[in-house]
Amino acid sequence: MKSGQLQINELTTILNQHFHWNKARMACFVGMLIALMSVTTVNLTQLALTFPSRAQIPSRYRRIQRFFSTHWLDYNDVAHFIMKLFGFTDADFYLSLDRTNWKWGRVNINLLVLAVVYRGAAIPVYWLPLNKRGNSNSRERRALLQRFISQFGKNRIKGLLADREFIGDAWMGWLIQEQIPFIIRIRNNSVSANRRGQKTRVDRLFEALKPGETKRLLQPKPLGQCQVYLSALRLADGELLVVASGSLVQDAIKIYGLRWEIETLFGCLKGRGFKLEETRVVGYLRIKKLLVLPVIAFCWTHKVGDWMHDCVLPIKVKTHRRKAQSIFRYGLDCIRSELFNVCSRSNKRLRKLISLLSPVPTALSAKGLTVSS
């Protein structure tokens, strides 16, 4: 069997088990997935160049366009596929909520993303294009989280992590009411109360902290109309990082640090990976649909990187104690080498890499979801 046909057949067999698409739609998606690995950009013009087809380039381009303009997608199916792929349905996890945006011409593309914290780069599960510029509001955040809970429940959510953008009485009050644990950074000039019950800025509650020191208050403090627990860290540059949680959390600052994984995710989807900002697709519904392609590609590369690091050859750690490359980059390089390097290509290895895109029923190893990750 030719290698190119092997790629298509193996990927189609796996994805057909989870997505109920007709043969033509699945063939188009698999072709785009392979093309994306080649050109590493979601720009449709570039995808058409390496899309596996004997048709002329304009015909390939129109076929890709039609997929995103006419094909209906069930985003719950995508979410279930991703959650099963990493074993999240059998493990407790932290969620991270954040927003990424860019401009194409005069058009603002603004995405609200909910992801699961995992081994250095959060795994996206749901996303909501915001038909506006600027911050999300409480209604939009609730809608995204409620969709997740409707499919997976909230018993396994260890906490929701978010930055200073995601504050407000209505939002935090709803999280407390729904008993969804959270750790959210708040602004230093937020108003709370001191020991005597007098109003004061939260940074004054931690003004004695020195760089590198942390402190958590054992009694809840008022924040707007909510009662929250406060913890703080004095950063090396002297800035104060203050987080609020719905309950007393011993390692709140350390856990909050996992929020950065969603920023790593955005880097992988954009400039350091699949160059999402190069897309010319700007329609509200089409950009939501388009994101399915780089998200599944990201999940595949991360799974391959996991396997390579754990079972084949661990990533080297440099003298500054950082890995020489990310799990994502390790996996992406490995997939691209097996797909496109005719001198080193091995059908056996290629089958193994493709098989990693198939969810397994076993529970995920705890190391991927702990604070130490």
Side-chain angles (χ1 to χ4, degrees):
M1 182 185 293
K2 292 183 178 180
S3 179
Q5 193 59 46
L6 168 66
Q7 304 162 17
I8 295 172
N9 290 347
E10 296 283 337
L11 286 168
T12 300
T13 299
I14 289 173
L15 295 177
N16 270 334
Q17 299 173 21
H18 305 279
F19 303 109
H20 307 292
W21 302 343
N22 64 41
K23 184 176 180 181
R25 297 297 185 186
M26 181 58 72
C28 183
F29 184 82
V30 169
M32 289 189 294
L33 188 59
I34 294 172
L36 179 59
M37 291 299 175
S38 174
V39 298
T40 62
T41 174
V42 295
N43 183 285
L44 303 191
T45 303
Q46 297 299 312
L47 287 178
L49 297 179
T50 55
F51 184 89
S53 171
R54 294 182 179 179
Q56 296 295 315
I57 293 175
S59 297
R60 298 179 224 160
Y61 179 71
R62 287 193 295 271
R63 184 179 179 185
I64 294 172
Q65 275 189 319
R66 286 195 297 271
F67 182 94
F68 294 114
S69 62
T70 63
H71 184 40
W72 179 80
L73 292 178
D74 188 331
Y75 297 99
N76 289 331
D77 284 349
V78 176
H80 278 278
F81 172 77
I82 294 170
M83 293 288 286
K84 291 176 182 177
L85 180 64
F86 290 91
F88 294 147
T89 54
D90 300 317
D92 297 338
F93 48 79
Y94 289 101
L95 291 173
S96 185
L97 182 66
D98 206 354
R99 190 173 54 86
T100 186
N101 61 88
W102 68 93
K103 291 190 70 172
W104 169 242
R106 296 183 178 180
V107 179
N108 289 280
I109 302 175
N110 200 3
L111 297 172
L112 182 63
V113 179
L114 183 67
V116 178
V117 167
Y118 177 74
R119 299 193 77 173
I123 309 299
V125 181
Y126 282 110
W127 49 92
L128 177 67
L130 304 177
N131 197 17
K132 62 180 182 180
R133 58 181 298 182
N135 296 351
S136 61
N137 57 41
S138 177
R139 177 183 57 81
E140 292 159 340
R141 301 166 197 165
R142 287 201 307 266
L144 201 60
L145 198 52
Q146 283 173 328
R147 185 160 194 178
F148 179 91
I149 291 171
S150 71
Q151 297 297 313
F152 307 105
K154 55 187 175 183
N155 293 334
R156 292 198 174 275
I157 301 176
K158 296 169 67 176
L160 175 70
L161 314 179
D163 204 0
R164 285 170 289 192
E165 173 184 327
F166 299 91
I167 57 176
D169 285 345
W171 168 238
M172 287 187 171
W174 180 79
L175 291 174
I176 294 171
Q177 177 184 333
E178 295 295 319
Q179 297 183 328
I180 300 172
F182 64 86
I183 302 175
I184 299 176
R185 186 176 182 180
I186 61 176
R187 299 188 180 98
N188 292 349
N189 61 359
S190 300
V191 177
S192 185
N194 58 23
R195 293 180 179 178
R196 295 186 294 274
Q198 299 171 332
K199 289 185 178 181
T200 185
R201 289 166 46 125
V202 296
D203 55 357
R204 292 175 182 169
L205 300 175
F206 303 97
E207 58 186 358
L209 285 180
K210 298 178 181 179
E213 290 184 344
T214 62
K215 181 180 179 181
R216 62 190 177 107
L217 305 182
L218 301 179
Q219 298 299 322
K221 295 288 184 179
L223 188 69
Q225 298 178 5
C226 303
Q227 291 288 322
V228 297
Y229 290 84
L230 301 178
S231 300
L233 163 67
R234 181 74 67 183
L235 301 174
D237 61 1
E239 184 182 359
L240 191 67
L241 186 155
V242 185
V243 300
S245 56
S247 59
L248 187 61
V249 180
Q250 182 175 357
D251 297 316
I253 294 294
K254 189 174 183 180
I255 295 170
Y256 174 77
L258 299 176
R259 189 207 70 83
W260 187 255
E261 293 189 9
I262 198 169
E263 302 289 354
T264 304
L265 163 67
F266 293 153
C268 295
L269 294 179
K270 297 168 77 174
R272 295 197 301 272
F274 299 123
K275 302 177 181 64
L276 187 58
E277 68 273 29
E278 290 185 1
T279 182
R280 303 299 178 257
V281 176
V282 296
Y284 176 85
L285 295 178
R286 292 189 183 185
I287 192 67
K288 183 178 182 180
K289 193 182 298 182
L290 172 72
L291 204 59
V292 173
L293 178 63
V295 162
I296 290 183
F298 168 80
C299 291
W300 184 20
T301 56
H302 209 297
K303 283 282 289 186
V304 170
D306 282 343
W307 176 73
M308 289 291 295
H309 177 68
D310 294 339
C311 304
V312 181
L313 182 65
I315 300 173
K316 291 182 179 180
V317 178
K318 294 187 174 182
T319 54
H320 52 49
R321 297 183 180 181
R322 295 183 181 178
K323 292 178 180 177
Q325 59 183 163
S326 66
I327 292 287
F328 165 78
R329 176 54 58 180
Y330 196 20
L332 180 60
D333 290 348
C334 184
I335 292 173
R336 297 186 73 204
S337 177
E338 290 299 325
L339 286 177
F340 308 115
N341 188 336
V342 295
C343 295
S344 64
R345 182 183 296 157
S346 164
N347 282 350
K348 183 178 179 180
R349 173 63 67 88
L350 184 56
R351 278 194 171 96
K352 175 59 182 179
L353 299 187
I354 291 175
S355 72
L356 294 172
L357 190 56
S358 180
V360 292
T362 54
L364 184 69
S365 170
K367 67 181 176 182
L369 299 173
T370 57
V371 177
S372 61
S373 66

